[in-house]
Amino acid sequence: MPPPTTGLIRETLANGVTLLVQRRRTAPAVALVSHVRAGFLDEPDELVGISHVLEHMLFKGTPSLGPGELAQRTKALGGTLNAYTAYDRTVYYASVPARHAVDLVALQADQVRHASLDPEELRRELGVIIQEARRKLDSPGAVAGETLHELLYASHRLRRWRIGTEAMLAQFRREDVATYYASRYIPSRTIVALVGDLDEAVALDALRAHWGNWVGPAVPIPPGPPELGTATVQARRLSGDVVLGELVLGWRAPGVLDAEVPALDLASAILGLGRGSRFARLLREPGLVNSVGVGSYGVVDAGIFSVGVELDPARMTNVLDVIG
């Protein structure tokens, strides 16, 4: 098989937007992804969760698209669309039959560049996100994982509750969201990739037409605080009205570009990927746990290596012995 980057065309526009185009004729379809460097780590402490709020709002209309119309038009083209927010990025993605590639480019450029941020739509959407935050608090796995991050890092923004607290979300106003949008959603922080059964020249022309005239100042954004302290062993026990327990163990890991990361990724696969993995055989097959997973995750300057299991709390000591 050829490498996944075979035939990849990369172009940086004069305004700073990076374009990626690749012809892949495995299916008569195209996929379009807009990657914006605006994630949880880009948020100041007084705006935790605002990247996720903004992601929701980019589906709520532009001057040329009413609320919900983006989804309607994409589906009318035979396509699908969605988005997600991560620590270091927010990503908008969609796919359509190949013959509608140019139409999709226009729709997604409008979505990312021209969000209306209507105050009433924001008020309604904050209610939806607050309900999402409450559901997360009701998820033992989510609470355990976020608590692990808090214990691992004393100052790095990886330690914060990603989605934001209900109290903080409730206080966001349009001005907060608009200011964050204007500072993070700018050309130099944006990568747009179009892949599929396409003509590269036509694809590049469409991308240039819809992204090349975007103007946005690259205002310096203060980075989050670095982690300067030495890691120490910490533990926290939480209790609640649950039947099964969640055990999460974690270690600080290097940033994603560190030379040791591939070894950690390999170790996570050996330990936790599939039924033949080491922990599946040592923990799940004997019935010590209901499920087990191992993760290796990193951002530019920090990472986390973790082991998580769902189990009967009475077996906690035995499981710790096996993992150790």
Side-chain angles (χ1 to χ4, degrees):
M1 266 183 90
T5 55
T6 298
L8 179 68
I9 300 172
R10 178 188 179 103
E11 179 178 319
T12 302
L13 300 179
N15 62 1
V17 174
T18 298
L19 304 179
L20 303 174
V21 171
Q22 186 180 44
R23 188 176 189 181
R24 299 291 292 272
R25 306 188 69 176
T26 53
V30 296
L32 177 64
V33 177
S34 293
H35 175 296
V36 184
R37 187 153 52 92
F40 301 117
L41 298 184
D42 296 291
E43 303 164 348
D45 287 344
E46 65 273 16
L47 295 176
V48 174
I50 202 166
S51 298
H52 180 235
V53 171
L54 187 53
E55 175 214 315
H56 278 235
M57 290 304 297
L58 261 66
F59 289 88
K60 297 301 176 180
T62 71
S64 60
L65 293 171
E69 195 173 349
L70 172 70
Q72 293 170 8
R73 290 198 185 184
T74 304
K75 291 176 182 177
L77 296 174
T80 60
L81 76 167
N82 212 326
Y84 68 87
T85 305
Y87 279 110
D88 54 0
R89 64 196 181 277
T90 301
V91 177
Y92 302 88
Y93 56 96
S95 59
V96 295
R99 64 184 181 276
H100 296 308
V102 174
D103 298 319
L104 181 61
V105 168
L107 285 172
Q108 194 171 97
D110 191 24
Q111 175 193 15
V112 174
R113 292 180 52 187
H114 302 131
S116 296
L117 307 179
D118 178 78
E120 184 59 23
E121 287 292 333
L122 175 61
R123 183 190 66 80
R124 285 194 288 265
E125 204 58 29
L126 284 173
V128 172
I129 297 169
I130 285 170
Q131 290 301 319
E132 186 179 347
R134 290 173 180 172
R135 289 194 300 273
K136 189 171 181 180
L137 282 170
D138 282 338
S139 168
V143 172
E146 295 280 359
T147 302
L148 173 69
H149 289 198
E150 181 185 342
L151 292 175
L152 280 174
Y153 286 100
S155 55
H156 195 283
R157 286 176 175 172
L158 278 172
R159 74 184 309 276
R160 303 182 308 186
W161 187 266
R162 284 170 287 177
I163 199 172
T165 64
E166 180 175 343
M168 182 168 289
L169 291 167
Q171 72 180 5
F172 287 159
R173 298 295 178 263
R174 185 192 185 280
E175 293 74 19
D176 302 318
V177 181
T179 299
Y180 186 81
Y181 180 49
S183 65
R184 270 64 170 182
Y185 280 59
I186 59 175
S188 61
R189 300 174 72 91
T190 303
I191 301 170
V192 184
L194 182 59
V195 177
D197 187 5
L198 50 79
D199 180 295
E200 295 99 321
V202 172
L204 281 168
D205 283 345
L207 290 167
R208 292 172 187 138
H210 290 283
W211 291 95
N213 62 350
W214 188 17
V215 178
V219 178
I221 297 170
E227 189 67 35
L228 301 176
T230 303
T232 58
V233 177
Q234 296 192 62
R236 183 177 299 172
R237 180 174 181 174
L238 305 174
S239 61
D241 185 16
V242 296
V243 175
L244 293 173
E246 296 281 345
L247 171 64
V248 184
L249 308 175
W251 297 263
R252 288 186 192 175
V256 68
L257 299 179
D258 192 278
E260 294 183 356
V261 167
L264 291 173
D265 292 341
L266 178 60
S268 71
I270 293 171
L271 291 172
L273 183 61
R275 294 182 179 181
S277 65
R278 183 170 181 82
F279 284 158
R281 289 184 287 108
L282 292 176
L283 296 172
R284 190 167 183 184
E285 285 184 11
L288 290 174
V289 303
N290 287 42
S291 64
V292 58
V294 181
S296 176
Y297 180 83
V299 292
V300 171
D301 60 341
I304 293 172
F305 189 89
S306 63
V307 179
V309 298
E310 182 184 71
L311 74 169
D312 181 338
R315 295 181 173 145
M316 191 80 69
T317 300
N318 290 344
V319 169
L320 283 170
D321 288 341
V322 173
I323 292 175

